[in-house]
Each structure stands twice: as C-alpha cells, then as structure tokens.
Amino acid sequence: MPTPKEDDNGAAWARWYQKQEQLREQCLAVASGKAPLETVPAPCLAALETHRNVMGRVLAATHAETGGLPSGANSLNRSDSLQSGGMGAIARVVHLAALEVWELLSRGHPVEAMNTCLDALALSRELALGGGLYGSKLSAQSQEIVYPSCAAALDAVPLGRKREALEQLSRLQRGFPPPSRLLREESVFLQLRTFGPDFLPLEALSRLPPAAKTLVHGGGGWFFFTSRVGHPLVRRYIWRRNVSLFDQMMAVADLPPDERQRAFARIDADHALLADYPGAVSARTFHRELAHLEPQHLRAVALATLVQVDITRTEQGRWPTTLPADATGLFSLQLVSAQEARLVPLNTEAAENTLSVTADER
C-alpha cells in the first residue's frame, strides 16, 4: 500500500497506519502458528524474500562464542517508550525467521527449519543480554512468536539431530540472565535518566560511556519532569530511596515468583515514605514486570522436554511414564494415541503453550 503524500489529510494517514497494523498482525498470526501458512499475505512473503540474506547474517551472528547485543542496542540506548530500531529491529528478524521455519517445513526441509529455529531462539535470547527489562520483554515476546514453529521443526527432525538439538536447547536455557541482573541494569538506567542531570558530579559524568552521557543529557519527556519537580532535597531523597529499594530487590529477585512477590511487598512497605512522589519506583511494579518473563522459562523447558519425550518414545517404543526433572511440576504428558502425545502445562493459565509430539519411526 503506497504511503500517503505529505499534503494528504490526517484521515488518509490514519487509514494507512491502520492498514499497516492489520498487515503486521496478519503476518504475526502466521509466523506464530495462529493462522496457516496458506493464509499469509503476499507482502509478508515479499518482505521475507527481500530480507532473507540479512536475516541469515544476523542469525549466523548467534554462533559467536560470546553473546549479547551489538553496540548501540543495549539498555542504555532504548527510548523513553517504544523503540523503532536497535532491539526492536532484532526482534523483527526473529519474526521473519519464524515465518521462514514454516516455509522450510512446508517444503519438506525439517533439518534446515530446525537450524533456523534454534538460531532464532538464540537471537531472541540475545535481547535479554544487556537489554534490561525492555530487552527481556522483547526477548520473551519474540520467543513466543517462534515457539510453535520451532516445536514443529524439533518434532519433525530425525533422531540423531534431536540429540544435538537437546544440547543446544540446554545451553540456550542456561544463558538467560537472572532477574537480579535485569534489575541492576534497570537501576542504572533510571538513575542516569531521572537524576543524573541534577545530582551526578561533573567528574562522574565525564567518566560515563557515550551511551550513558547521551542518556543523562537527552532530557525531555516524563523523566525530565520527574527530575525537576519539587524541592531539590526531596528529589535527592527520592534518588537515594530508589537506590536502596533496588538494592533490596536485587537481593531477593532470584527467588521463586511467589516468594519474590512477598519479599517485594515487604520492600515496598519499608519504603512507603513518599512512595507516590514523582520518580519514586515501586517493587510491586517490578514484580509484575518480571512476572511477564515467567512464560519464557516455561517455553524453554517445554521445547527441551518435547525433544526428550520424542527421543524416549523412539528408543523404547512407548511414551515415557515420567517427565524430566526440569518439567516435573510444570507439565503433564497426555497420551492421545500410540503415535501422538500432548505436553500440557499444569497451570491452566499457560494452556496456550501446549505442544504436540508425534512418534518417529524406529
């Protein structure tokens, strides 16, 4: 759909943006397995064809010995709200890769599809390495997109390749940063953005890396307002309050979710003074942010469990009676037939992460 001209009225632009959003949703529906490949709009396939070489190079970068985001795309380089480039661009590569996996499977290339899906999972994980909470949420969202196609590819590959994939999935699962590290990055970002312009001494400012200096001197938006409202001594107190709150959150952030929620509630109670003041942070808010990342762990366990169950079924000629330790308490294995089983989350709120496993020929 052609872009409206500069002199077109607002209604024309509104219709254009609406069409673009509808197209984006249709593309994501197919990429995430919510709609069949046959329904993919032509512009989605055209975008995949146009960007396939670039996508391949980006996915290949995940084979490096050291992971993490490229320079200029980490947590200090995010915008105040939505980011059109950097981490957002990496997430879109994952979306294209998910569509590529379905394409490869439809053409009878399961091994190539699985290789692409593993690279896409690795790329989605990279968003969490140095991306703070913003990058981790993008990581979880992009992993959710590629999850169904990756499960289909893992189910379809031969036994030998399944064993290799299992080790790759285990390495990916171990590579996610813990919540405490994410909160540390968030603490640095908020301190620099909200209070750095007023309270960091010139000597400290001069030693900051370029991205941090840009963050401090960027100004504008909500952070500009919160850093300058009220008495300077009260703002300084809010800064120190936030630092103390983050330090206490980081100490308990890696607890199981229920325990973390209770611990964070106690932290908020200890920091109730001026809790509603502009710029003051809340532990409960960060618990909710971290809770959005929990399905990412569940999906990582599910993919590895799918492969393990499939290997056991092929080697022993029957479905296993117990699940691996990582999956115990998270999933049940429901037998559909001698040839098919379903890996079902025990938490009914996570039912959309159910996976089907098809028995391989022995």
Side-chain angles (χ1 to χ4, degrees):
M1 182 178 177
T3 307
K5 299 177 181 178
E6 291 185 7
D7 57 353
D8 284 341
N9 59 33
W13 279 99
R15 289 193 297 272
W16 182 82
Y17 280 118
Q18 184 179 23
K19 290 287 188 180
Q20 291 299 305
E21 183 61 21
Q22 290 174 348
L23 178 60
R24 188 187 74 86
E25 291 177 358
Q26 290 171 342
C27 294
L28 285 179
V30 176
S32 61
K34 296 177 181 177
L37 183 62
E38 294 77 16
T39 66
V40 63
C44 305
L45 295 178
L48 177 60
E49 185 64 32
T50 300
H51 301 295
R52 182 172 276 119
N53 289 336
V54 173
M55 178 190 71
R57 293 199 298 271
V58 175
L59 293 177
T62 63
H63 300 176
E65 291 185 6
T66 304
L69 290 165
S71 175
N74 57 37
S75 63
L76 296 182
N77 288 279
R78 59 185 140 160
S79 63
D80 288 344
S81 54
L82 300 177
Q83 181 166 314
S84 59
M87 288 184 274
I90 293 173
R92 287 193 290 275
V93 173
V94 179
H95 301 167
L96 282 177
L99 188 57
E100 174 80 340
V101 173
W102 290 121
E103 273 275 283
L104 288 167
L105 286 172
S106 72
R107 291 189 277 112
H109 302 296
V111 174
E112 292 87 341
M114 195 211 65
N115 291 338
T116 299
C117 100
L118 290 174
D119 286 348
L121 287 173
L123 187 60
S124 73
R125 194 232 11 220
E126 301 294 270
L127 289 163
L129 301 179
L133 274 174
Y134 177 83
S136 291
K137 285 187 286 187
L138 278 180
S139 174
Q141 291 164 5
S142 60
Q143 182 218 43
E144 182 181 10
I145 296 297
V146 78
Y147 175 72
S149 62
C150 204
L154 288 165
D155 189 37
V157 293
L159 181 63
R161 192 62 186 92
K162 279 186 171 70
R163 291 195 179 96
E164 296 174 9
L166 188 58
E167 175 56 30
Q168 291 174 274
L169 289 168
S170 298
R171 289 200 303 271
L172 283 172
Q173 190 175 341
R174 294 193 300 268
F176 284 102
S180 54
R181 175 175 162 182
L182 300 179
L183 289 180
R184 182 180 182 277
E185 293 175 14
E186 204 68 20
S187 176
V188 171
F189 174 82
L190 289 174
Q191 287 182 62
L192 290 173
R193 192 71 166 102
T194 311
F195 302 103
D198 285 342
F199 299 132
L200 280 180
L202 291 177
E203 181 185 358
L205 287 171
S206 66
R207 295 201 303 268
L208 291 175
K213 289 180 180 177
T214 300
L215 189 62
V216 169
H217 298 302
W222 171 246
F223 292 106
F224 180 84
F225 169 75
T226 57
S227 67
R228 286 161 175 80
V229 67
H231 194 281
L233 290 180
V234 179
R235 297 203 307 272
R236 186 175 290 274
Y237 167 79
I238 294 297
W239 180 21
R240 296 190 180 280
R241 170 199 178 276
N242 288 357
V243 171
S244 172
L245 188 141
F246 268 111
D247 286 344
Q248 292 185 37
M249 284 195 297
M250 284 185 278
V252 296
D254 298 333
L255 291 172
D258 290 344
E259 295 180 39
R260 182 181 65 218
Q261 184 176 21
R262 291 191 291 270
F264 277 25
R266 290 192 295 269
I267 292 171
D268 265 351
D270 292 340
H271 293 78
L273 182 62
L274 297 180
D276 295 329
Y277 197 84
V281 299
S282 162
R284 287 183 179 88
T285 298
F286 282 101
H287 169 74
R288 289 193 293 269
E289 294 289 327
L290 292 172
H292 290 315
L293 307 180
E294 292 301 323
Q296 189 171 35
H297 169 71
L298 185 75
R299 290 189 290 264
V301 172
L303 290 174
T305 304
L306 178 149
V307 176
Q308 290 171 299
V309 166
D310 212 356
I311 291 174
T312 300
R313 170 63 179 79
T314 304
E315 291 179 338
Q316 299 181 1
R318 56 181 173 80
W319 296 109
T321 56
T322 59
L323 292 177
D326 284 352
T328 301
L330 294 177
F331 294 94
S332 66
L333 187 67
Q334 298 180 1
L335 305 188
V336 178
S337 68
Q339 299 300 315
E340 184 181 356
R342 299 170 74 234
L343 196 61
V344 181
L346 296 178
N347 182 355
T348 56
E349 294 181 358
E352 69 275 8
N353 294 304
T354 298
L355 296 178
S356 293
V357 192
T358 305
D360 293 341
E361 296 294 333
R362 296 188 66 184

